[in-house]
Amino acid sequence: GVDSLLFQVSVSGYNLAYAWQYFDGSLWQNFINATDVIGMNSSQLILRNPPLTFDQVTVRVIVSDNCSNAVSSDESAQITVL
């Protein structure tokens, strides 16, 4: 299996906020900080020991600034857990 996955985004600006999300098949859900989810509110998200239920899950990030302007990633990543 996979020990950990790293997702990273590079954005320039001030007072940026990050929200990493995964698609559960019908809705985008926010990742919740836990021992196996690190950095859900930063430019890097680490998933430790992703479960088999995360196979084929799509991940994206939404970045917003202090003026509430938000943009979601144009690209998303799909997880493959073996």
Side-chain angles (χ1 to χ4, degrees):
V2 176
D3 290 332
S4 63
L5 298 170
L6 169 68
F7 300 92
Q8 185 172 346
V9 64
S10 178
V11 181
S12 61
Y14 298 100
N15 298 316
L16 299 176
Y18 300 84
W20 289 93
Q21 299 181 326
Y22 64 94
F23 192 69
D24 70 3
S26 59
L27 297 171
W28 286 101
Q29 302 289 337
N30 289 327
F31 279 99
I32 298 170
N33 273 332
T35 57
D36 55 349
V37 178
I38 301 165
M40 63 155 288
N41 294 316
S42 72
S43 62
Q44 290 185 344
L45 175 72
I46 298 172
L47 302 178
R48 289 189 185 163
N49 301 312
L52 289 176
T53 56
F54 263 55
D55 189 38
Q56 303 304 308
V57 167
T58 302
V59 175
R60 73 175 183 183
V61 63
I62 296 176
V63 182
S64 58
D65 63 15
N66 59 345
C67 296
S68 297
N69 297 311
V71 62
S72 66
S73 55
D74 290 336
E75 300 288 328
S76 58
Q78 190 173 65
I79 299 172
T80 301
V81 179
L82 302 174

